[in-house]
Amino acid sequence: MASLEEKISQLDKNRIPVHVAMIMDGNGRWAKSRGFIRSDGHAEGVSTVHRVTKFSSDIGIKYLTLYAFSTENWNRPKEEVDTLMFLIGWAIERELPELLENNVRIHLLGDIERIPDEARERLFYARNATAHCTGLQLNMCLSYSSRWEITDAARKLALLAAEGKLNPQDITEKSISDNLTTSGIPDPDLLIRTGGEYRISNYLLWQIAYSELYFTPALWPDFSDEDYVDALLDFQSRERRFGKTSDQVQQNH
Ligand code: FPP
């Protein structure tokens, strides 16, 4: 089997995806299989977030978007929600020095106002402290769901139309994109879901229209740098046609 270094050397450094989005699934199963409680899986998952962020930064990815907490996750048992909120606030505070060292900029996506005060303040602090960073942009999706943000965008545009400031005929794909929480961020080139499920789970539905999808059975706490490089190699083996024919794509190259 190829070592991590050998695998990395197989990557085409000129075709590293600009934006990688991830669905971090499998923490609960990881914990359960070891006789631990689910929250232990989330705690272990924080280590993977650390590793994946460092690896993304080192390899030259510009945007990494992580689905840390969905709108639907509010329906989980209170104890698990509380632990997740604590972990998110604690992790961001603990990681801040290294994020700064690695020039990583924190960006928050979702209905952040719903995040409990303590975690929210730590997140805002980290966002402000890293605002000047020019390396990897780490987008943390918190209290996020795609249908929520599309509904929110529709509401904003409808309000402008009702106030006579926007002609409905002038609504374009761009005006919708501009009103999503991801405004200004290029669409993901690659979406990776860990945990062996083949679902999108209300994540970046608008933005992944032409993303390459990659599913791995590795549970999030087990998702290794090797697994990540496998996903990147798989991505690089694909031909992205954006609705065109293969011949057209080859000609453009
Ligand atoms: C899904 O696994 C994972 C989550 C709902 C939370 C992900 C959160 C973290 C990895 C920790 C904090 C994140 C940051 C950014 C510091 P699951 O619980 O649904 O797993 P299961 O499918 O095995 O039950």
Side-chain angles (χ1 to χ4, degrees):
M1 235 177 48
S3 69
L4 176 61
E5 285 67 32
E6 282 167 342
K7 279 189 180 181
I8 292 175
S9 72
Q10 289 165 23
L11 281 172
D12 179 347
K13 301 290 183 297
N14 297 316
R15 286 175 55 228
I16 297 292
V18 172
H19 183 174
V20 177
M22 296 196 185
I23 301 177
M24 312 183 282
D25 196 20
N27 293 345
R29 277 166 287 160
W30 182 91
K32 209 172 164 198
S33 70
R34 285 164 175 76
F36 302 157
I37 58 165
R38 295 179 52 81
S39 295
D40 293 333
H42 298 315
E44 189 65 23
V46 173
S47 308
T48 310
V49 172
H50 176 101
R51 223 172 356 82
V52 161
T53 303
K54 178 81 171 70
F55 192 85
S56 302
S57 166
D58 290 348
I59 208 107
I61 286 163
K62 299 281 179 236
Y63 301 87
L64 173 66
T65 303
L66 301 179
Y67 206 3
F69 193 87
S70 73
T71 308
E72 291 74 22
N73 286 154
W74 289 115
N75 299 322
R76 291 197 174 194
K78 184 175 178 319
E79 190 190 302
E80 184 173 340
V81 171
D82 289 349
T83 303
L84 270 168
M85 289 301 141
F86 169 79
L87 273 176
I88 288 165
W90 167 81
I92 201 74
E93 189 174 81
R94 190 191 64 171
E95 298 295 326
L96 186 56
E98 195 170 330
L99 292 170
L100 286 165
E101 203 175 295
N102 289 308
N103 200 19
V104 176
R105 182 170 174 218
I106 293 288
H107 189 70
L108 307 172
L109 303 177
D111 193 2
I112 307 299
E113 293 308 314
R114 281 189 76 178
I115 303 294
D117 294 351
E118 201 180 329
R120 198 178 60 239
E121 278 162 21
R122 290 175 182 200
L123 288 162
F124 283 170
Y125 185 84
R127 182 179 62 183
N128 295 341
T130 61
H132 65 284
C133 294
T134 54
L136 173 75
Q137 177 169 314
L138 175 59
N139 301 315
M140 290 177 56
C141 295
L142 293 157
S143 191
Y144 172 88
S145 88
S146 206
R147 288 183 177 179
W148 164 80
E149 76 166 345
I150 292 170
T151 307
D152 194 55
R155 200 179 293 119
K156 285 179 194 155
L157 293 171
L159 259 174
L160 288 176
E163 289 167 2
K165 294 177 184 158
L166 174 69
N167 181 345
Q169 301 299 331
D170 294 336
I171 295 177
T172 59
E173 290 190 9
K174 184 171 182 314
S175 42
I176 294 176
S177 291
D178 287 349
N179 281 282
L180 298 176
T181 57
T182 50
S183 172
I185 301 171
D187 288 341
D189 302 292
L190 171 64
L191 168 65
I192 299 173
R193 181 178 185 135
T194 64
E197 312 275 7
Y198 299 88
R199 278 195 292 276
I200 302 300
S201 302
N202 211 353
Y203 189 46
L204 302 172
L205 297 177
W206 175 276
Q207 297 88 340
I208 60 166
Y210 284 102
S211 304
E212 298 298 324
L213 308 182
Y214 185 87
F215 300 92
T216 168
L219 304 175
W220 179 253
D222 291 331
F223 183 67
S224 63
D225 290 351
E226 281 87 347
D227 293 326
Y228 196 176
V229 181
D230 284 343
L232 295 172
L233 286 169
D234 190 86
F235 167 81
Q236 292 190 339
S237 74
R238 301 189 197 181
E239 180 183 64
R240 302 190 73 197
R241 292 197 290 276
F242 298 96
K244 295 184 179 168
T245 67
S246 187
D247 286 346
Q248 286 175 307
V249 173
Q250 296 303 327
Q251 273 165 22
N252 286 349
H253 277 299

